[in-house]
Amino acid sequence: MASAFLTLTTISIFFINHTSINEDRAHIHLMINYAFEDMKLRCISARKLADSSVFASTGTSLPEFTFEGEKDMYAITPEDNSDNIWYAYRIDKDNNLVLEEKPTALDAATKKEILIDKKYKPAIQFEYIPGTEPNFLKVTISAEGKKLDNKAASDRITKSDGIRFWFINVVL
Amino acid sequence: MFLVSLSALLLTGKFFQKNAEQRSIAMSVVSMKMEEYLAKSYAGLQETTVPLTGVENGIAWTVWVEKKEECPNGCKVESATRIPYKVITVTASYDDLSSRGKKQKKEVRLVNMVPYPYIHIASYVSSPETLPVPPTVPFNNNGIVTKKPFYDVGLNYDQLLPLLMKKGYVDESLHVPPSFNTLDDEFKSWFAVTTYDTEGIPQTSYTLTDAQFTAIENILKDTRNPTNPINFQNIQNAALTINYPVGKHLLIVYNISTKINTFTNIQSNNTILTGIFINGVNISVITRTPIVLQPLISNVVGVDLQDLAAKGIIPSNNGTYLVELRWNKDTPSGVITAPEYNFMILAVEEIGTGG
């Protein structure tokens, strides 16, 4: 009786642990994918870059990206700047990967959306690679999840994607 | 039994999760590479003879760029319309692990098409750095006899030219002697046709009317007129060659700033003339800009290229067109140069021509 109970408990813990690992890592993948989709939709109609977000043609890597874009990313009005707002993708002081909205490039954020929570220790890098088009950036996001198994080299999930800009170049 | 099955299910689930993660990372790599290549212009997408390869986040990727053609009316005929486009294929391969620990290579592939551009731009911009010696506006009044003026008034150039040359009205180099003034009776007699009326009396008529003879005289005299486009000469580098497999309309824009280097005897009503030529034929309205009062010449010309070629107004030259800006002044006086000028062609696809 006792051994059956012990076996049942062990298997249950094993079951719960692996379910938790799978759920955790799947959640990270979802958050990273969501962040990429958000960037692709929002950046494509960007109209202006903050001075700190301009890249050198020789190749630059930046930890955050600030630009002026459409308030409604589904209604692109390049002839009308009155419906624009500034956005910033960055790691905030609490170590969350956030999307901030603000009235100008230098103002404090008026609205903040957490794309990846600090518990996953997110990191983000915006990179211009020489030889690619001046309106194209590579974005790499990584986050820490539970190890899938003990043989896994790392518990960090790293993914990259590309974002294009219609109206501006990101290279000086 | 139930617990054993549950454990087996969990272990299998672990492999599914691992493979799903690898597949997800591979998908983000192909998505990124596809975005990178879609950001390039049609001309900037270089066709690959060997695939481009690399590794990103531990995933090996390859990229192929191929140029293909679509023939709306079939490709069998040599002269069939061929519309080019490019195909980008991005592949990423990753390791897929089975629950028995067996590794398999699997691939994800994205394919996208880049159509032939709807709009093209070609341009030339001069500057003191690239053109240290600015071109001088020419004065030319010794033009050659060409087909278009005859075509415009319904006369057959190919039939008339040998007769004009035989009479000495046009020389071997197609120039008209300065002494020419009118067509003489002998020349007109070559067009006489004799018929007989009902009483057998000969009646003379001419295959060309008096108005047509006058038109021929005017065409020949006009070759010595500096305002005639045949006397216009090229502006250095203001010539662009275009060749598009798809029919295009052109919008040609040019701006020329002028400077009078020598003012001697230039009158207030003397002008600089400009015009657009395609494959050597003037196709646009001639602009006339006063030399003294207006130091800037600007013009915009719209051209239906296919219509001009179809009507034989410009020689087709297998779809290659040399678009030139030419100029002349209507006075031999003065020296005028163009310190800066620009010349731009905007080619837009025709709509509704069926290719």
Side-chain angles (χ1 to χ4, degrees):
Chain A
M1 185 68 179
S3 66
F5 179 75
L6 196 62
T7 308
L8 192 65
T9 307
T10 308
I11 288 170
S12 297
I13 292 168
F14 177 77
F15 175 76
I16 291 165
N17 186 39
H18 273 273
T19 304
S20 165
I21 290 171
N22 291 350
E23 187 188 16
D24 185 67
R25 294 183 75 83
H27 187 52
I28 291 172
H29 277 278
L30 263 174
M31 287 190 292
I32 293 176
N33 292 343
Y34 173 80
F36 281 144
E37 284 306 303
D38 188 272
M39 285 177 204
K40 283 182 174 181
L41 283 170
R42 221 174 283 278
C43 289
I44 201 159
S45 57
R47 296 283 290 127
K48 208 173 172 180
L49 297 177
D51 292 341
S52 57
S53 295
V54 177
F55 295 77
S57 60
T58 49
T60 324
S61 185
L62 295 173
E64 61 181 66
F65 188 63
T66 306
F67 64 97
E68 181 187 334
E70 298 287 348
K71 202 163 187 177
D72 177 356
M73 61 186 176
Y74 299 108
I76 298 173
T77 53
E79 73 287 356
D80 180 10
N81 290 336
S82 64
D83 59 354
N84 289 0
I85 198 165
W86 284 84
Y87 295 106
Y89 291 101
R90 54 190 286 271
I91 304 292
D92 68 2
K93 58 178 173 48
D94 297 323
N95 294 320
N96 299 303
L97 173 60
V98 297
L99 164 65
E100 291 178 340
E101 284 181 22
K102 38 196 184 174
T104 70
L106 299 172
D107 282 336
T110 52
K111 195 173 164 191
K112 196 186 275 195
E113 178 186 350
I114 296 176
L115 299 173
I116 301 178
D117 191 85
K118 60 178 179 276
K119 122 177 159 179
Y120 299 103
K121 297 178 189 163
I124 188 166
Q125 185 172 268
F126 297 87
E127 192 180 351
Y128 172 73
I129 300 169
T132 57
E133 293 301 302
N135 65 331
F136 175 81
L137 278 183
K138 175 185 165 186
V139 185
T140 304
I141 299 177
S142 65
E144 191 175 287
K146 295 176 184 173
K147 267 194 189 179
L148 202 53
D149 61 36
N150 293 328
K151 293 180 204 167
S154 166
D155 45 10
R156 283 196 84 78
I157 296 167
T158 303
K159 295 175 93 168
S160 299
D161 210 330
I163 48 177
R164 270 191 291 164
F165 300 82
W166 279 352
F167 304 119
I168 57 171
N169 287 337
V170 294
V171 176
L172 195 65
Chain B
M1 199 62 201
F2 167 75
L3 293 171
V4 167
S5 304
L6 194 60
S7 302
L9 189 67
L10 261 170
L11 282 167
T12 309
K14 184 176 107 174
F15 286 106
F16 273 131
Q17 174 70 13
K18 236 182 176 174
N19 292 337
E21 277 201 18
Q22 282 292 90
R23 190 160 50 247
S24 176
I25 294 172
M27 271 309 302
S28 75
V29 169
V30 290
S31 170
M32 181 192 73
K33 295 308 290 182
M34 182 57 80
E35 281 296 301
E36 178 185 328
Y37 281 83
L38 287 175
K40 295 180 186 291
S41 64
Y42 181 88
L45 265 177
Q46 299 298 316
E47 294 139 62
T48 53
T49 47
V50 291
L52 304 166
T53 58
V55 176
E56 187 74 41
N57 295 336
I59 302 288
W61 55 263
T62 59
V63 174
W64 278 103
V65 179
E66 300 166 278
K67 185 175 174 184
K68 297 193 173 186
E69 286 178 339
E70 181 73 25
C71 305
N73 302 317
C75 291
K76 287 182 183 172
V77 179
E78 180 73 30
S79 58
T81 300
R82 286 176 159 76
I83 302 172
Y85 63 97
K86 292 185 181 173
V87 175
I88 307 168
T89 306
V90 183
T91 312
S93 62
Y94 62 96
D95 288 329
D96 194 63
L97 206 61
S98 73
S99 55
R100 289 178 190 172
K102 203 176 167 186
K103 257 189 199 178
Q104 249 183 324
K105 271 278 183 224
K106 286 206 172 171
E107 276 187 356
V108 289
R109 178 177 298 132
L110 285 183
V111 182
N112 213 328
M113 188 186 87
V114 179
Y116 191 70
Y118 183 80
I119 297 177
H120 298 258
I121 292 179
S123 65
Y124 171 76
V125 180
S126 79
S127 69
E129 289 77 33
T130 59
L131 205 64
V133 180
T136 304
V137 185
F139 171 75
N140 184 32
N141 65 345
N142 188 25
I144 61 170
V145 175
T146 58
K147 186 174 183 176
K148 189 172 181 296
F150 290 85
Y151 175 92
D152 288 344
V153 294
L155 290 169
N156 191 320
Y157 169 84
D158 294 316
Q159 283 183 357
L160 285 168
L161 184 64
L163 299 172
L164 291 168
M165 291 175 83
K166 184 179 172 182
K167 196 71 179 81
Y169 294 145
V170 180
D171 66 21
E172 292 289 323
S173 61
L174 299 180
H175 289 96
V176 176
S179 55
F180 172 78
N181 196 33
T182 56
L183 301 171
D184 63 17
D185 290 338
E186 187 200 4
F187 180 82
K188 290 181 184 178
S189 71
W190 293 349
F191 299 89
V193 175
T194 303
T195 55
Y196 293 89
D197 65 15
T198 52
E199 294 172 5
I201 299 170
Q203 307 290 322
T204 303
S205 61
Y206 295 88
T207 56
L208 293 180
T209 65
D210 283 342
Q212 287 174 315
F213 283 126
T214 303
I216 294 171
E217 285 172 358
N218 289 338
I219 289 170
L220 297 183
K221 283 192 280 192
D222 205 38
T223 61
R224 307 200 62 80
N225 184 348
T227 66
N228 187 335
I230 58 166
N231 285 313
F232 291 12
Q233 294 187 339
N234 296 88
I235 304 176
Q236 194 174 343
N237 294 330
L240 298 166
T241 300
I242 57 176
N243 185 342
Y244 306 118
V246 180
K248 301 279 180 182
H249 290 295
L250 304 182
L251 195 69
I252 302 166
V253 182
Y254 58 90
N255 300 284
I256 307 170
S257 72
T258 58
K259 178 184 171 188
I260 303 174
N261 293 65
T262 305
F263 207 100
T264 314
N265 291 330
I266 297 179
Q267 305 301 312
S268 60
N269 61 349
N270 288 145
T271 57
I272 295 174
L273 305 105
T274 65
I276 295 295
F277 290 68
I278 298 182
N279 286 356
V281 176
N282 169 240
I283 54 89
S284 74
V285 169
I286 303 301
T287 67
R288 293 190 76 159
T289 311
I291 295 172
V292 172
L293 295 173
Q294 189 132 339
L296 179 67
I297 302 167
S298 288
N299 196 16
V300 179
V301 177
V303 178
D304 185 340
L305 203 58
Q306 301 311 304
D307 185 58
L308 291 178
K311 287 178 178 169
I313 295 171
I314 53 172
S316 167
N317 196 23
N318 288 327
T320 300
Y321 300 98
L322 176 62
V323 184
E324 299 170 285
L325 173 60
R326 296 185 187 177
W327 60 355
N328 202 19
K329 57 183 168 80
D330 60 2
T331 172
S333 305
V335 175
I336 304 116
T337 57
E340 286 188 70
Y341 53 97
N342 58 45
F343 179 58
M344 186 181 85
I345 300 173
L346 182 73
V348 181
E349 191 164 314
E350 289 187 334
I351 299 170
T353 60

